Amino acid sequence: MGRVAAMIRVLLADDSAVTREYIAFALGQVDGIAVVGAARDGLEAVEECRRLKPDVVLMDVHMPRMDGYEAARRIMEETPAPIVMMTSSLSHAEVEMGFEAVRAGALTLVAKPQGLDHPSEAESVRALATTLRLMAEVKVIRRWPRRAGPAASPLPRPIRGRGVQLVAVGASTGGPAAVVEILGELPATLRVPILVVQHIAKGFVSDLVEWWAGQTGLRVKLAQEGDHVQPATVYVAPDDWQLGVTPTRRIRLTRDAAPDGFRPSACHLFESVVAVYGASAMGVLLTGMGRDGAAGLKRLREAGGVTVAQDQETSVVFGMPGEAIRLGAAEYVLSPGEIAALIKSAAIQP
């Protein structure tokens, strides 16, 4: 007989009784998932997480008494569990709060499933169930309360004689927080452009760009076809487009399929960068599930570029950077703070 998969125990937190009832009902129709508790606000979510020890927490961003950000912070400090934040509103303020919850330790941000009378209701429930299954597998660790003042990041071994002219970054689960940590430590006068592929639920990338822009002195924008890549500018791949660069050093957006199935794909980005910049590029592969980007990072290293994987200690999920290390694609294995220091030391000098 085959092994029976364990039931995934979900704690649901939402201030709307109607929403709680609907989501509990919808997930109850999915094999292998059980809603074991329902909280009416963030404070109850913290208490129920302590009592029930769920496999994953599905939590609204905006709630009374304690919002989703504060609840996520408290859960990760007291009784760590995988947290999926959800929102029914695409207002910038609410989505930004969701990303702050991700920085506090939540794994990802998703849209609430559509109601029973919506034509895409079944599809949205399936997508949510898939996310919960994936996130329930993540082994989260306790987030200790932050001390006053950020610790200085140690400077990696300086890079000499290898002037970097462009930085390409790939990230997935846990990536938004890792990227914002890197960007926050880079100077507004950085002499290189940065191209980013971030796997994220459809519909959230524009708000992610705004959130990142508010945390750094660099210019952060959604990449557009034909943009001329400029120093001190971060270009982020739009939903469902492959991000690359042309020989004239302009942004190229395509609908090309990628061998790994992702669009946007970190592998596609790295391979495009190899073709144009070769040894004068830096590739950075951050936290994320799966293997996207690892083979492309290896090609960049073989071309003489500077290649970096995020270390296991700071990765929410060590899949992508771990695969890059296994393949021998990473010249450096560093924390986000150390990656920022390396970028500053490697950027081409005037």
Side-chain angles (χ1 to χ4, degrees):
M1 292 179 64
R3 183 177 176 181
V4 178
M7 184 73 71
I8 295 171
R9 302 167 65 252
V10 179
L11 171 62
L12 172 63
D14 195 293
D15 60 305
S16 166
V18 172
T19 299
R20 289 196 306 274
E21 183 177 354
Y22 162 64
I23 293 179
F25 169 78
L27 291 177
Q29 309 307 302
V30 179
D31 290 341
I33 294 180
V35 176
V36 296
R40 296 170 296 183
D41 54 47
L43 189 58
E44 282 193 6
V46 174
E47 294 167 351
E48 288 295 276
C49 194
R50 185 184 304 120
R51 183 177 72 87
L52 295 170
K53 305 287 193 297
D55 297 313
V56 63
V57 179
L58 178 61
M59 186 159 54
D60 191 17
V61 169
H62 185 73
M63 295 182 290
R65 291 208 299 170
M66 183 184 289
D67 61 34
Y69 161 73
E70 182 62 19
R73 187 188 66 79
R74 287 273 302 275
I75 288 170
M76 295 310 296
E77 290 178 4
E78 298 173 15
T79 52
I83 301 171
V84 174
M85 302 302 301
M86 60 178 177
T87 177
S88 60
S89 169
L90 291 183
S91 74
H92 177 64
E94 185 156 325
V95 174
E96 183 173 339
M97 186 187 295
F99 286 127
E100 288 294 340
V102 169
R103 176 149 60 175
L107 296 178
T108 192
L109 178 65
V110 299
K112 288 184 184 179
Q114 307 292 344
L116 286 169
D117 58 347
H118 196 280
S120 63
E121 187 264 347
E123 180 183 348
S124 64
V125 171
R126 281 196 299 271
L128 178 59
T130 298
T131 298
L132 293 174
R133 289 191 185 100
L134 290 172
M135 296 305 108
E137 297 176 3
V138 177
K139 306 302 180 185
V140 297
I141 59 173
R142 186 182 301 275
R143 293 289 190 98
W144 299 104
R146 291 193 178 196
R147 295 177 180 149
S153 299
L155 182 68
R157 176 172 55 84
I159 296 176
R160 301 186 186 282
R162 296 171 66 187
V164 167
Q165 297 180 39
L166 178 140
V167 177
V169 179
S172 187
T173 308
V179 171
V180 83
E181 185 175 347
I182 293 168
L183 297 184
E185 295 191 22
L186 296 177
T189 55
L190 189 73
R191 297 185 61 83
V192 298
I194 301 175
L195 274 60
V196 180
V197 162
Q198 168 67 61
H199 300 163
I200 192 169
K202 193 170 184 178
F204 288 104
V205 68
S206 294
D207 289 286
L208 178 64
V209 166
E210 288 193 43
W211 183 60
W212 280 345
Q215 311 294 318
T216 178
L218 299 170
R219 182 187 180 210
V220 186
K221 72 185 298 286
L222 206 59
Q224 293 182 304
E225 175 71 20
D227 280 346
H228 190 277
V229 293
Q230 298 291 332
T233 305
V234 182
Y235 300 88
V236 183
D239 280 335
D240 207 28
W241 287 92
Q242 300 291 15
L243 175 63
V245 63
T246 71
T248 57
R249 303 194 174 186
R250 294 183 179 274
I251 293 294
R252 177 79 187 276
L253 299 178
T254 69
R255 296 286 194 181
D256 294 350
D260 50 37
F262 289 102
R263 192 166 63 199
S265 158
C267 260
H268 184 281
L269 172 62
F270 291 150
E271 289 172 0
S272 175
V273 164
V274 167
V276 176
Y277 286 85
S280 64
M282 176 187 287
V284 178
L285 196 57
L286 300 176
T287 171
M289 288 184 172
R291 298 178 295 178
D292 182 31
L297 195 71
K298 184 177 182 181
R299 285 196 59 195
L300 180 56
R301 185 171 190 184
E302 291 168 347
V306 180
T307 57
V308 188
Q310 186 173 351
D311 62 16
Q312 186 169 7
E313 292 73 19
T314 63
S315 293
V316 172
V317 183
F318 197 50
M320 287 161 49
E323 179 67 8
I325 294 167
R326 189 189 70 80
L327 291 177
E331 180 180 1
Y332 295 86
V333 180
L334 304 170
S335 69
E338 292 168 337
I339 292 170
L342 187 71
I343 290 172
K344 287 186 284 189
S345 76
I348 191 166
Q349 298 300 307

